[in-house]
Structure formats: structure tokens, C-alpha cells
Amino acid sequence: MYLVNEHIQHVDHETLVQFQHTHHIQLPEAYCEFLEQYGVGTYCGVLNVQLPDHQQLTEFVEYELWEYDKDSPIHNQQLAECVVIATTIDGDFLALHPQVKDLLWIPRHSERIEVRLLDTDASWIEMMDQWLKISYGDSFQIMQENRYYESWNQDQRYRSLTFHPPTEGNDLLSISSSAEQLTQIAHQIDLQLPADLKIETPYSCLLFWRSIQGYARFNYAYGYEVVLCYEDHDKEASEQLLDVLLQHHIYEDSPE
């Protein structure tokens, strides 16, 4: 697994033990080991692994967003007793309940709460792969081939940039043409500053550099969006990358 950044805020073992004692719940051993080693963060850009939260689902009880019948692993009021340990970027929850052996997958875009296997013989990474494959299907194959983890910390910086393709006269280039150009630019930048990891799909490209403890994300689908994530420990490396982006008409603000 590729670590996007090396400045990890490890979770103290005693913090997790105290949570279990206070809330009378057993956290998965693999989950605790993962937090102690890698800290909270985002796995493969999809699953946010967080500290256990016993209040996150409480507000949803009154809305009755999910169906509850004889096949449901929990009933509506038991939502308030759940402990959330992860979420997806699509708004799904991965949670524990004291009376459920495995884990609960509480989806945003479905009315059925599902059970996800808690395999005590598997690592947390292996289990995350299994759950995400169920939810994301074949699209998760690329993620599995290029596992990465972005640990959250206070030193991360994000900058939203925009690709402004050169125009001929007053005619703006089409989105498809802009997307093609952005694809070529991502490849050129990878040649100028070879990435430590490159993940590319027809819709986007991620270039990771350890020198900036981060990455640049090129949105091929829209043809103009670029996001730069970095840690400001080595300003020379981040400024070098920004200079390269500017050379390719990628700006933080609209050019005058």
C-alpha cells in the first residue's frame, strides 16, 4: 500500500481501549491495529477510516430513511446505538452494533441496511477491499491494483486549480478537446517530474510525489479541474510543481 504522506498521526492504543470501556462495545482488532499504525485517513480515495463515533447516526433515527423488517440486521431505534468507524465519499456508513456479530453497511442511496463480514483472520486492508468491491463492483479493480492511503493531518494543504486551454481567436475549445489536452498535460508533467505512483482511468489521473507528500488530480471528465494536495514541509518541491503546472496553463485564478 502506497502511503501518500509520511507524517502520520498515530492513534494511541489506550484511546481505543478507553472508548470500548466507556461505550461497552468491542472494536475490531484489525481496525484498531490499522489506526495505531496508519492513523485516520482515506483509503483509495473512497473509504474514510475514522475514530469511532457513537453519536454520528443519532440524528437519523427520526427520519426513518431505511426499511426495517424481519430481515433487517437492526431496527430504527438501534441506529442511535451504532458506532460509526468509517464512511465513504458517497455518504455510506460502516458501523458496529453491540448485538450484531459483523459490521453494518448503512448506504446513502439504498433503503436496505446490509451486513458486511467481519473476518477475524483477515487484515483491515483485506476487509476494506472486500467491502468496497461489493459496493463499487468492477470499478474498484483499479483501486485494488493501486492501493494508497492518505493520512489526515493538520499540515495538508489543498488548492483548486483550473486548466485554461489556449484559444484560437475567440472560439473556445470544446470540452472534449480540453479533456484531451489535459490528458496530454498530465502525461507531460509525469515526464518532467516523474511520479512515484500514477493511477489513471478514462475519467481522471492521479500523480503522487513523495517530495510534496501529496498528489495532483486531473479531472479528465470535465477537462479543466485540477486539485493539488501537498504538505508544506518542503516549499521548494511544492513551488517547483506549481511552476510546472503554470507552464501548462493550469492556474489557481483565472488569468488576466
Side-chain angles (χ1 to χ4, degrees):
M1 182 175 70
Y2 177 89
L3 294 180
V4 175
N5 41 5
E6 299 170 350
H7 301 95
I8 299 171
Q9 296 184 350
H10 304 277
V11 178
D12 184 68
H13 176 73
E14 291 304 318
T15 299
L16 299 171
V17 171
Q18 184 60 48
F19 183 93
Q20 295 179 90
H21 289 167
T22 301
H23 299 286
H24 308 288
I25 193 165
Q26 181 68 45
L27 298 173
E29 183 177 350
Y31 162 77
C32 294
E33 291 175 351
F34 185 89
L35 284 183
E36 290 171 31
Q37 182 174 1
Y38 298 112
V40 296
T42 304
Y43 179 65
C44 293
V46 176
L47 188 66
N48 303 314
V49 185
Q50 64 178 57
L51 290 172
D53 189 328
H54 70 288
Q55 295 181 319
Q56 198 164 352
L57 289 171
T58 303
E59 63 178 298
F60 294 101
V61 173
E62 63 180 292
Y63 300 121
E64 298 188 1
L65 300 176
W66 295 280
E67 292 183 356
Y68 302 94
D69 54 29
K70 61 182 180 63
D71 296 321
S72 301
I74 59 173
H75 58 70
N76 186 50
Q77 294 302 315
Q78 287 179 310
L79 273 179
E81 302 168 354
C82 290
V83 172
V84 176
I85 58 176
T87 62
T88 71
I89 58 171
D90 294 319
D92 309 307
F93 298 96
L94 183 68
L96 297 162
H97 188 276
Q99 297 178 15
V100 179
K101 176 184 176 182
D102 293 302
L103 297 175
L104 300 172
W105 189 269
I106 305 174
R108 179 177 180 180
H109 300 295
S110 172
E111 296 178 346
R112 304 294 301 183
I113 295 176
E114 302 174 9
V115 172
R116 290 289 186 266
L117 178 65
L118 179 58
D119 186 350
T120 56
D121 294 325
S123 70
W124 191 248
I125 293 175
E126 290 171 332
M127 283 189 279
M128 287 192 293
D129 285 347
Q130 294 172 9
W131 305 327
L132 292 176
K133 187 173 183 180
I134 292 172
S135 296
Y136 290 88
D138 294 338
S139 63
F140 186 65
Q141 181 177 351
I142 293 178
M143 302 182 206
Q144 286 184 298
E145 294 171 354
N146 301 279
R147 295 181 179 90
Y148 67 94
Y149 191 67
E150 181 179 352
S151 181
W152 303 337
N153 64 62
Q154 297 177 344
D155 297 316
Q156 287 176 299
R157 303 287 182 269
Y158 294 90
R159 300 175 78 160
S160 296
L161 308 171
T162 304
F163 171 50
H164 295 270
T167 58
E168 298 179 3
N170 295 322
D171 296 329
L172 293 176
L173 294 172
S174 66
I175 292 178
S176 60
S177 177
S178 177
E180 291 174 2
Q181 288 194 65
L182 190 60
T183 303
Q184 295 172 4
I185 287 170
H187 295 169
Q188 291 170 13
I189 291 174
D190 187 27
L191 291 174
Q192 287 180 257
L193 296 173
D196 297 299
L197 174 66
K198 177 180 179 180
I199 302 176
E200 188 174 39
T201 73
Y203 311 105
S204 67
C205 178
L206 282 163
L207 298 178
F208 297 84
W209 295 276
R210 294 198 184 280
S211 60
I212 65 168
Q213 299 285 302
Y215 54 87
R217 182 174 68 242
F218 301 83
N219 190 332
Y220 294 165
Y222 289 123
Y224 60 86
E225 293 179 348
V226 179
V227 172
L228 180 61
C229 171
Y230 63 99
E231 289 187 12
D232 209 10
H233 296 286
D234 190 338
K235 291 186 177 180
E236 183 177 348
S238 58
E239 290 300 323
Q240 180 185 12
L241 177 56
L242 281 171
D243 287 342
V244 171
L245 293 171
L246 289 172
Q247 293 171 15
H248 294 283
H249 306 282
I250 296 174
Y251 306 95
E252 190 159 19
D253 298 307
S254 298
E256 298 180 356

